[in-house]
Amino acid sequence: MCGIVGAYGWTNDETLSAMLEWIEHRGPDEEGSYLDRDAGLMMGARRLSIVDLEGGSQPKWNEDESVGVVFNGEIYNHTELRESLSRAGHRFESECDTEVLVHLWEEYGEEMVSHLEGMFAFSIWDRDADSVFLARDRFGIKPLYYGETDRGFVWGSELPALLIGGVDRTIDPSAVYNHFSLEYTPAPQTLLEDVQKVEPGQTVRIDSDGCQKRTYWSLRDIETGSATGGFADAADRLRTLLDRSVEKRLMADVPVGAFLSGGLDSSAVVGIASELKDDPLKTYSVSFNDDMLDESEEARLVADHFGTDHHEVNIDLSSMDLFGEMIRYLGEPTGHLQMLPMYALSERASQDVKVALAGEGSDELFAGYPWYQHVPQHKRKVDFMPEFTHDVAGAVAQVSPVGNKHLRYYSGLKNNEEMLLNHVCGFTTFRPEPDEFLRTGETAATSGLRTNVGDVTEAVGTPALEQHMSAYETSYTLPDYHLFKADHMSMAQSLELRVPFLSTELVEFAHSLPVRHKVTDEDVKRVLKRAVSDLLPDEIIDRKKMGMRPPVEDWFMGDHNAIETWFTREKLRQTPYVDANRAMALREAHRRGEQSVGRTLWMILTYVAWHHTFIDEQNAIV
């Protein structure tokens, strides 16, 4: 596990050193770099030593040093790949997974990515071809940004490293609109016009002709609901895949622990890992003082059930003391309410372990969120209504002083595309629209958001709304929201987070299952519950989903230095596209109890703090 940076078309020793220094938290154990002035190429890595502690230094090279790689992630099938490549005549000097990549490139070229099972973001320099090859794993577990400057291309694991590399700091208004619609910025967009994300399942080749993108894997190519066989067989197959995935993700030469919320997903991972490990698994959970949000009792129940070495971190308003340093490690803002708990939880876990397992991905794959039940139910109740009534409701909602949110909700039940836009993309229907506190001039059509949704709905080969929701969330919400939060907050504490639900075969299998195996009006995650029914206590199988979120509604009712530092009229006015008067009015309405908009205020707070930390050139820290 590492952080990587690089540039093509120009070199500068000081810039490369500064870029590597920025991502030191991603790899505090070791630094490695390569610079070729004649080729106009530089790249480097900061290493967090996990596998082959002595032999995993980077960059890694092939035998004649014509191909080199810097790599972030883990390749879980590297042993099998090494054996295959050795039989083909390739020679290895280490046991680390990084070295496998250069020989795969020699053997397969750009098709090498189809052989990889794991989480990864890497750059390969091919001296003879005078080209750089960037690649990101299928689900976007590990981040990778790239951009073009007036000197050439630059890339890295975190956006601020590209700022150090000289990318322009101009903010993209369409990305701002999407960010406040979704609570994240959907790939390939970032908030900066000249920086893009390498998309999940995508590669980018950079040479003297520019850059060429290629998609090597897409969920949209998997036939939806195509699996045959009964429910029990599906559950048995899922359990086999999950057992196998957890076992692979225990691969490490350092201590491994797990995050445990007390929910179904993390509890299943902890249960399987506990059965596979000889010594007690170290587990970590968050507690809140609000009983409506606290899951610590359930987490302790699971920990006791499996005999884990369990630890808790309490989160309250005083935890906002961490806000400033958390923003520094984000590099790009998100409205995710779990950021602060994840940051504090990772800090505690990193005291004992270098690797932790987590349950991300299950809700998207197995229809675990409440809207997988509620929205289809609401749609069925109004199916008898003529389609034009949805358009009328939408038009009236724009001018009605009362009931406009309910009219918007009804309007969004028109068809699968409208339902995704209104009820999955940021859950916007019952919270303030971006136009209520922004001035971007953008809409879902001009920002690209409607295109993203349309592409998903067109690709899903079934009318079942639940499958469209799952496909959209797996393609966008999961990588750009949940995995972004998980990666940046854990790596801020030099902790590698692994996600067993996101093995390729498990994801493809889940997407092939019919809706009835996942969700009905009575239950969610049906097949997963059946798959682990022999493993977990009934209290965990049957409990409702909560989610690890702090009470920001309460936090914004009072004062805290972290809020008062950034949420001021002056700083709001200095932040592009924010309407300072409207934003302040929202906060005052919240404090008076007229509106509950803590989630929106949190998004505004993180965006303003990000801008003044990274983009405002007079005050930016990079």
Side-chain angles (χ1 to χ4, degrees), residues 437-584:
F437 52 87
L438 294 179
R439 290 180 176 174
T440 63
E442 299 286 340
T443 66
T446 62
S447 71
L449 180 54
R450 184 173 287 277
T451 298
N452 292 348
V453 170
D455 288 346
V456 170
T457 57
E458 183 178 351
V460 176
T462 171
L465 171 61
E466 297 91 340
Q467 299 284 38
H468 289 255
M469 298 164 77
S470 175
Y472 176 84
E473 292 200 310
T474 304
S475 299
Y476 290 102
T477 313
L478 179 60
D480 296 321
Y481 189 54
H482 299 298
L483 296 175
F484 172 89
K485 167 265 304 178
D487 169 84
H488 279 66
M489 294 295 90
S490 60
M491 291 305 293
Q493 306 291 355
S494 305
L495 178 74
E496 175 178 299
L497 207 62
R498 297 179 178 178
V499 281
F501 280 102
L502 297 182
S503 75
T504 303
E505 56 183 356
L506 196 157
V507 171
E508 292 181 349
F509 174 72
H511 196 60
S512 75
L513 292 175
V515 169
R516 65 182 180 275
H517 285 5
K518 301 178 184 181
V519 57
T520 64
D521 286 351
E522 291 74 34
D523 202 8
V524 297
K525 292 184 181 176
R526 296 181 63 242
V527 68
L528 177 59
K529 290 179 178 179
R530 174 67 176 268
V532 296
S533 59
D534 66 322
L535 183 69
L536 300 178
D538 290 342
E539 299 96 314
I540 302 302
I541 294 285
D542 297 332
R543 68 182 294 252
K544 292 184 178 180
K545 182 176 180 61
M546 290 181 66
M548 184 178 67
R549 57 173 297 253
V552 293
E553 290 82 5
D554 294 339
W555 290 3
F556 278 99
M557 294 295 286
D559 298 319
H560 187 281
N561 183 61
I563 298 175
E564 307 312 318
T565 296
W566 303 109
F567 213 111
T568 68
R569 192 176 299 275
E570 180 181 3
K571 280 191 166 59
L572 289 165
R573 189 179 293 117
Q574 295 169 353
T575 304
Y577 305 110
V578 173
D579 186 316
N581 292 332
R582 292 182 176 183
M584 290 298 294

Side-chain angles (χ1 to χ4, degrees), residues 594-607:
E594 297 170 3
Q595 288 182 276
S596 181
V597 290
R599 195 169 193 136
T600 297
L601 295 175
W602 177 260
M603 279 199 297
I604 296 172
L605 178 70
T606 57
Y607 174 65

Side-chain angles (χ1 to χ4, degrees), residues 47-354:
R47 185 181 180 218
L48 181 66
S49 304
I50 303 293
V51 175
D52 191 2
L53 306 186
E54 299 299 324
S57 300
Q58 298 189 36
K60 279 291 180 203
W61 298 91
N62 65 342
E63 294 89 339
D64 65 1
E65 296 192 352
S66 62
V67 177
V69 64
V70 288
F71 163 60
N72 173 26
E74 301 290 350
I75 306 301
Y76 300 120
N77 63 335
H78 73 95
T79 300
E80 301 92 316
L81 291 172
R82 180 182 287 102
E83 292 172 354
S84 174
L85 290 164
S86 295
R87 290 194 296 270
H90 295 271
R91 300 194 309 274
F92 290 84
E93 297 181 350
S94 74
E95 296 299 318
C96 73
D97 49 355
T98 307
E99 191 177 4
V100 168
L101 298 175
V102 293
H103 297 292
L104 278 174
W105 176 260
E106 290 180 298
E107 191 72 19
Y108 300 109
E110 293 191 12
E111 295 300 323
M112 64 174 288
V113 286
S114 63
H115 296 266
L116 299 175
E117 173 59 37
M119 55 182 188
F120 53 83
F122 60 81
S123 62
I124 288 180
W125 163 240
D126 188 322
R127 184 185 63 202
D128 296 336
D130 188 24
S131 69
V132 172
F133 180 72
L134 307 179
R136 191 178 181 198
D137 64 67
R138 294 167 179 81
F139 314 114
I141 304 170
K142 304 313 296 179
L144 188 55
Y145 298 86
Y146 70 103
E148 189 171 7
T149 73
D150 55 4
R151 296 184 291 181
F153 289 92
V154 62
W155 64 88
S157 297
E158 294 188 3
L159 190 148
L162 276 67
L163 293 174
I164 294 171
V167 294
D168 188 81
R169 296 171 189 253
T170 302
I171 292 180
D172 179 358
S174 65
V176 173
Y177 177 86
N178 288 339
H179 171 78
F180 280 98
S181 296
L182 303 170
E183 301 190 1
Y184 61 88
T185 309
Q189 278 186 329
T190 70
L191 286 173
L192 300 185
E193 288 184 350
D194 290 348
V195 178
Q196 294 187 53
K197 301 169 187 139
V198 178
E199 297 179 59
Q202 186 183 76
T203 65
V204 178
R205 186 170 184 135
I206 300 173
D207 56 26
S208 57
D209 294 325
C211 64
Q212 301 84 41
K213 303 178 184 180
R214 183 177 75 92
T215 298
Y216 68 89
W217 186 92
S218 174
L219 189 69
R220 300 166 201 179
D221 296 331
I222 310 302
E223 188 174 354
T224 308
S226 60
T228 58
F231 181 70
D233 291 338
D236 290 343
R237 174 62 175 161
L238 173 57
R239 178 61 179 274
T240 298
L241 294 175
L242 186 57
D243 285 350
R244 184 186 305 165
S245 183
V246 171
E247 183 175 17
K248 286 182 177 180
R249 282 151 185 81
L250 290 172
M251 172 195 79
D253 297 327
V254 296
V256 178
F259 288 170
L260 176 60
S261 70
L264 177 67
D265 312 327
S266 64
S267 298
V269 170
V270 165
I272 295 170
S274 295
E275 292 187 342
L276 292 169
K277 286 178 62 67
D278 295 329
D279 53 329
L281 181 71
K282 292 183 181 296
T283 54
Y284 304 87
S285 68
V286 163
S287 65
F288 297 104
N289 297 331
D290 186 338
D291 291 339
M292 296 295 292
L293 302 173
D294 184 51
E295 298 179 275
S296 59
E297 182 177 343
E298 289 80 6
R300 287 193 293 271
L301 185 154
V302 175
D304 290 343
H305 185 78
F306 293 110
T308 73
D309 180 6
H310 191 59
H311 309 270
E312 290 182 8
V313 177
N314 182 256
I315 300 295
D316 59 18
L317 182 57
S318 67
S319 303
M320 282 293 285
D321 293 340
L322 301 171
F323 182 82
E325 61 184 78
M326 182 195 75
I327 288 293
R328 180 192 182 280
Y329 290 115
L330 268 180
E332 189 179 12
T334 169
H336 210 305
L337 297 180
Q338 290 183 5
M339 290 190 304
L340 195 60
M342 179 68 77
Y343 184 69
L345 189 64
S346 297
E347 192 280 328
R348 175 61 188 88
S350 68
Q351 298 174 22
D352 306 321
V353 300
K354 274 194 168 184

